[in-house]
Amino acid sequence: SLNPLFAGIPMTALDPTSTKQTSGRPAFLSGWRPWAIGGGLLLFGWFLFGRNGKKDPAANAAGRPVPVAVAVARQGDMAVHLTGLGTVTALNSVTVKSRVDGQLVRIAFTEGQMVREGELLAEIDPRPFQVQLMQAEGQYAKDQAAFQNAQADLKRLQGLVAQGIISRQQLDTQTSAVAQYEAALKSDQAQVESAKLNLVYSRITAPISGRVGLRLVDAGNMVRASDANGLATIAPVQPINVMFSVPADNIQKVLSQNAKAGKLPVEAWDRDLKSRLAAGSLAAIDNQVDTATGTVRLKALFANEDRVLFPNQFVNARLL
């Protein structure tokens, strides 16, 4: 008996020793073709229907309900921002220097401290200037006494000339002497004021209000007015400027809008444009185009109340 799977197939096709041929071909080749065709159809059917039967996660995700919001249409202005790389700059930075020569005996500030204009920063040994003041005052007193004596002699000579006792030439000579003593008094007064000024300069004060940088000279060193580095630098941080550039093609729109709306808003953002640092306004527009970059420089002013902007800091400026 034969297995039902081989029903209908001639025995000669299953017998490899049989040499009987059908249609000019070996019998076992003629019986193999129906099975090859059937196997191919089964494989194609599994691939087609089996694949379609599986669930595709992406298709299911796309088929989920999506929430939809509704807004009322309205007319208005669209905000147009111009963004450019900017540099924070102080309104005016000052290098604190000594105006007299002497030994630095005291540092009265802390590095990074906020100081006000006129506040004491350092002190130079005042004793040499006190001595100079005393010398100038002594010379002034000496010449003042001589001047007063010359004036008294002049009055006496005037009376003698009126009486005809002495010549007019002696009176003229005394008058000239009085004028010389008067000039000497003015010179002595200038020396006194200069000595007083040097004594004042021995106390170095802040010329402007702002933040003090790192000190460049320690107490005990000799300082001179000709020193290039100075003692420290002061940079105001409230308010503060941001310098940035915009393409020259947009400058006409900026000029026209600035003329209409006044000061345009400017925002300072961090390097990644993820956090807004401060808000200010456009303060000035340069008068020429930078031919190397094809841009125009702009200056924005920020109140910087929380002091987040530092001089020479790089930010992204967004001009509305």
Side-chain angles (χ1 to χ4, degrees):
S1 62
L2 295 177
N3 192 305
L5 293 176
F6 300 98
I9 300 176
M11 291 300 295
T12 57
L14 300 177
D15 186 4
T17 61
S18 175
T19 58
K20 185 179 180 180
Q21 298 182 357
T22 304
S23 302
R25 293 184 180 182
F28 72 93
L29 291 178
S30 298
W32 180 255
R33 180 162 49 175
W35 283 99
I37 295 174
L41 292 175
L42 290 175
L43 181 62
F44 178 78
W46 171 85
F47 180 82
L48 180 63
F49 296 101
R51 292 278 296 176
N52 291 340
K54 293 183 179 180
K55 295 183 178 181
D56 190 355
N60 291 337
R64 289 183 301 178
V66 178
V68 178
V70 179
V72 179
R74 60 184 179 88
Q75 293 181 344
D77 294 333
M78 295 292 293
V80 178
H81 290 93
L82 297 179
T83 303
L85 182 63
T87 304
V88 182
T89 59
L91 296 182
N92 51 341
S93 181
V94 176
T95 300
V96 180
K97 295 183 178 181
S98 173
R99 305 181 70 171
V100 293
D101 299 345
Q103 185 180 22
L104 190 65
V105 295
R106 181 188 174 195
I107 298 292
F109 68 89
T110 303
E111 296 170 321
Q113 173 187 350
M114 295 295 298
V115 297
R116 296 183 178 275
E117 181 179 355
E119 188 173 345
L120 180 65
L121 298 179
E123 188 174 1
I124 297 175
D125 188 3
R127 292 175 296 178
F129 309 110
Q130 292 173 349
V131 173
Q132 293 177 4
L133 177 59
M134 293 174 62
Q135 291 176 345
E137 290 176 343
Q139 185 64 36
Y140 177 81
K142 178 182 178 180
D143 291 341
Q144 187 177 30
F147 173 71
Q148 293 174 353
N149 185 42
Q151 281 185 323
D153 291 342
L154 179 61
K155 290 181 180 180
R156 286 192 294 267
L157 290 177
Q158 288 174 346
L160 295 176
V161 170
Q163 297 176 7
I165 299 176
I166 61 174
S167 64
R168 183 75 183 180
Q169 182 180 1
Q170 292 178 327
L171 179 62
D172 293 341
T173 302
Q174 187 62 30
T175 302
S176 177
V178 171
Q180 290 178 1
Y181 283 123
E182 186 177 6
L185 279 179
K186 290 184 179 179
S187 178
D188 294 340
Q189 183 64 37
Q191 293 296 326
V192 171
E193 296 300 328
S194 177
K196 289 181 179 179
L197 191 59
N198 289 337
L199 188 59
V200 172
Y201 287 160
S202 66
R203 292 172 55 86
I204 303 175
T205 58
I208 60 173
S209 300
R211 187 189 300 275
V212 184
L214 303 179
R215 71 172 181 269
L216 305 177
V217 181
D218 296 327
N221 288 282
M222 293 294 297
V223 294
R224 294 176 175 81
S226 59
D227 292 341
N229 295 330
L231 304 180
T233 59
I234 299 179
V237 295
Q238 292 178 318
I240 202 167
N241 289 328
V242 172
M243 304 291 296
F244 65 102
S245 301
V246 297
D249 296 339
N250 298 324
I251 193 60
Q252 293 300 330
K253 297 179 180 179
V254 175
L255 289 172
S256 61
Q257 192 66 18
N258 189 54
K260 295 178 183 178
K263 296 182 178 180
L264 299 179
V266 180
E267 297 177 344
W269 290 69
D270 62 357
R271 187 184 299 269
D272 299 327
L273 283 172
K274 294 181 179 180
S275 176
R276 193 184 77 166
L277 303 177
S281 60
L282 185 64
I285 303 174
D286 201 359
N287 60 352
Q288 59 185 347
V289 177
D290 187 351
T291 57
T293 60
T295 58
V296 179
R297 298 182 67 193
L298 306 181
K299 179 191 291 185
L301 182 65
F302 292 81
N304 199 25
E305 296 178 354
D306 49 2
R307 302 173 185 173
V308 296
L309 299 179
F310 277 79
N312 295 334
Q313 177 184 1
F314 289 103
V315 296
N316 284 298
R318 295 186 66 196
L319 170 66
L320 176 59

